[in-house]
């Protein structure tokens, strides 16, 4: 029997499976920056949301929520792979926080401990920051900007406020009713800040039952804006077209076919009938 017949195929390593939480791709380097915005003293909730999405995409969220723990020492290969992944996740987190904050948390042994310390230090709602966001929402109006910029600005402020002060968890229909109430408040605020040119459209929307969500209202306002643009172009061309039509429709008189009122009179100066030289 040949030597190849006695050779048992080597089973692939379990951490070579891309769906495994300990899998590492060749492009996974500790110098990677997963999110563009760095953590500072005021943006923890936004940073946390962005970082969690990035780590979930990498299938490494278990390292920060405590579900992927250090393997037993008896499993040397698995422990080594876990250590590599843990250090990599720590590096990704440290790359997206300000240097001063990084100095104070970089010596945590695990990514989970690092994540929890950041949460403990920065997750508490900053009342001053929340006040500033609410003040900006209150003062936000469309004046001087287009409808798209106005909506985007408000949406960003609402998202920041919700991250700082999320809605409480409720059971049953209470959660749905609370969310609908918040959506209604957003719709009303959006309508309040619109320019006066949208007064008629705003009145029609306020008569709708139930009141549409702010995304739907924004879509309706954009359609109204486009309709106004088309109408203004049409109106601008109407005077020229009307004048041209009036010119074409004027009755055409011919002197040759015209019979003067005083045909028996003839002018000695111009030699035309209908008047005398005294009236020429």
């Amino acid at each position: 029997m040949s030597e190849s017949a006695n050779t048992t195929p080597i089973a692939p390593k379990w951490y070579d499976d891309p769906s495994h939480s300990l899998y590492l791709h060749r492009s996974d380097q500790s110098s990677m920056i997963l999110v563009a915005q760095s953590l500072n003293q005021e943006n923890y909730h936004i940073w946390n949301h962005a970082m969690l999405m990035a780590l979930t995409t990498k299938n490494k969220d278990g390292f920060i929520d405590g579900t992927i723990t250090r393997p037993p020492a008896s499993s040397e290969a698995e422990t080594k792979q876990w250590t590599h992944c843990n250090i990599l996740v720590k590096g990704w987190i440290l790359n997206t926080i300000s240097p001063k904050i990084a100095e104070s948390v970089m010596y945590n042994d695990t990514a989970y401990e690092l994540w929890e310390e950041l949460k403990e230090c920065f997750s508490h709602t900053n009342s001053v920051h929340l006040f500033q966001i609410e003040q900006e929402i209150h003062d936000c109006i469309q004046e001087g900007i287009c409808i798209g910029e106005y909506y985007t600005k408000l949406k960003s402020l609402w998202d920041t406020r919700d991250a700082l002060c999320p809605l409480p968890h409720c059971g049953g229909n209470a959660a749905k009713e609370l969310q609908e109430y918040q959506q209604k408040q957003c719709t009303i605020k959006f309508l309040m800040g619109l320019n006066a040119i949208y007064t008629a459209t705003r009145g029609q929307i306020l008569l709708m039952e139930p009141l549409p969500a702010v995304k739907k209202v924004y879509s309706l306002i954009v359609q109204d804006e486009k309709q106004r643009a088309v109408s203004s172009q049409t109106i601008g061309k109407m005077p020229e077209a009307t004048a041209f039509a009036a010119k074409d429709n004027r009755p055409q008189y011919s002197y040759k076919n015209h019979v003067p009122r005083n045909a028996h009179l003839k002018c000695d100066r111009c030699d035309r009938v209908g008047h005398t030289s005294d009236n020429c």
Side-chain angles (χ1 to χ4, degrees):
M1 185 178 295
S2 64
E3 182 178 355
S4 59
N6 294 328
T7 303
T8 303
I10 300 176
K13 297 179 181 179
W14 45 266
Y15 49 78
D16 285 340
D17 180 4
S19 63
H20 199 281
S21 57
L22 297 183
Y23 169 78
L24 290 177
H25 192 268
R26 295 176 182 176
S27 64
D28 291 335
Q29 303 294 328
S30 59
S31 59
M32 291 177 60
I33 299 178
L34 299 187
V35 296
Q37 191 173 31
S38 297
L39 172 67
N40 54 44
Q41 300 288 341
E42 298 180 348
N43 67 342
Y44 172 80
H45 295 280
I46 297 175
W47 173 87
N48 174 275
H49 184 71
M51 197 66 193
L52 182 57
M53 287 194 299
L55 291 175
T56 302
T57 302
K58 291 286 188 180
N59 200 22
K60 297 295 182 291
D61 51 306
F63 282 87
I64 60 174
D65 63 16
T67 57
I68 302 178
T69 57
R70 187 189 302 272
S74 58
S75 180
E76 183 177 352
E78 186 176 1
T79 300
K80 185 177 181 179
Q81 188 69 12
W82 181 90
T83 302
H84 289 167
C85 292
N86 177 65
I87 293 175
L88 190 64
V89 174
K90 281 182 58 180
W92 287 342
I93 296 174
L94 292 172
N95 290 341
T96 59
I97 61 181
S98 65
K100 290 185 179 181
I101 297 177
E103 291 176 1
S104 65
V105 296
M106 65 181 301
Y107 293 105
N108 284 285
D109 290 334
T110 66
Y112 172 73
E113 293 173 354
L114 171 59
W115 187 264
E116 286 297 304
E117 183 170 349
L118 292 174
K119 180 179 178 181
E120 178 64 25
C121 292
F122 303 105
S123 65
H124 303 293
T125 301
N126 186 328
S127 298
V128 176
H129 188 202
L130 181 60
F131 175 85
Q132 293 173 343
I133 296 299
E134 290 287 3
Q135 187 68 49
E136 289 186 51
I137 293 174
H138 179 271
D139 296 339
C140 186
I141 57 176
Q142 186 195 350
E143 184 179 11
I145 59 178
C146 68
I147 190 69
E149 292 180 26
Y150 170 59
Y151 173 77
T152 303
K153 182 179 179 180
L154 261 181
K155 181 68 166 54
S156 176
L157 290 171
W158 286 329
D159 289 343
T160 303
R161 178 201 59 192
D162 294 342
L164 288 171
C165 189
L167 292 175
H169 296 286
C170 304
N173 294 329
K176 181 180 178 180
E177 293 176 356
L178 189 58
Q179 187 174 15
E180 289 177 350
Y181 172 79
Q182 186 186 53
Q183 281 294 322
K184 186 175 182 180
Q185 295 302 307
C186 290
T187 298
I188 293 175
K189 168 55 191 171
F190 177 74
L191 291 173
M192 288 175 62
L194 291 174
N195 289 340
I197 193 174
Y198 300 107
T199 300
T201 306
R202 176 170 53 200
Q204 294 174 1
I205 293 174
L206 288 172
L207 292 176
M208 294 181 180
E209 187 63 38
L211 192 65
V214 67
K215 292 182 290 186
K216 178 63 176 178
V217 172
Y218 168 66
S219 176
L220 294 173
I221 295 296
V222 170
Q223 293 178 34
D224 179 74
E225 190 174 44
K226 292 180 178 179
Q227 182 63 37
R228 290 177 184 274
V230 173
S231 299
S232 63
Q233 292 176 1
T234 303
I235 294 174
K237 296 178 180 179
M238 283 181 63
E240 181 180 354
T242 303
F244 182 78
K247 182 178 180 180
D248 288 347
N249 293 330
R250 285 184 304 176
Q252 301 296 322
Y253 294 101
S254 174
Y255 183 78
K256 294 181 180 180
N257 299 326
H258 175 64
V259 180
R261 178 179 301 176
N262 300 317
H264 63 284
L265 300 176
K266 185 176 181 179
C267 180
D268 297 334
R269 182 179 300 177
C270 66
D271 201 29
R272 290 183 180 180
V273 298
H275 65 278
T276 63
S277 58
D278 296 336
N279 298 325
C280 183

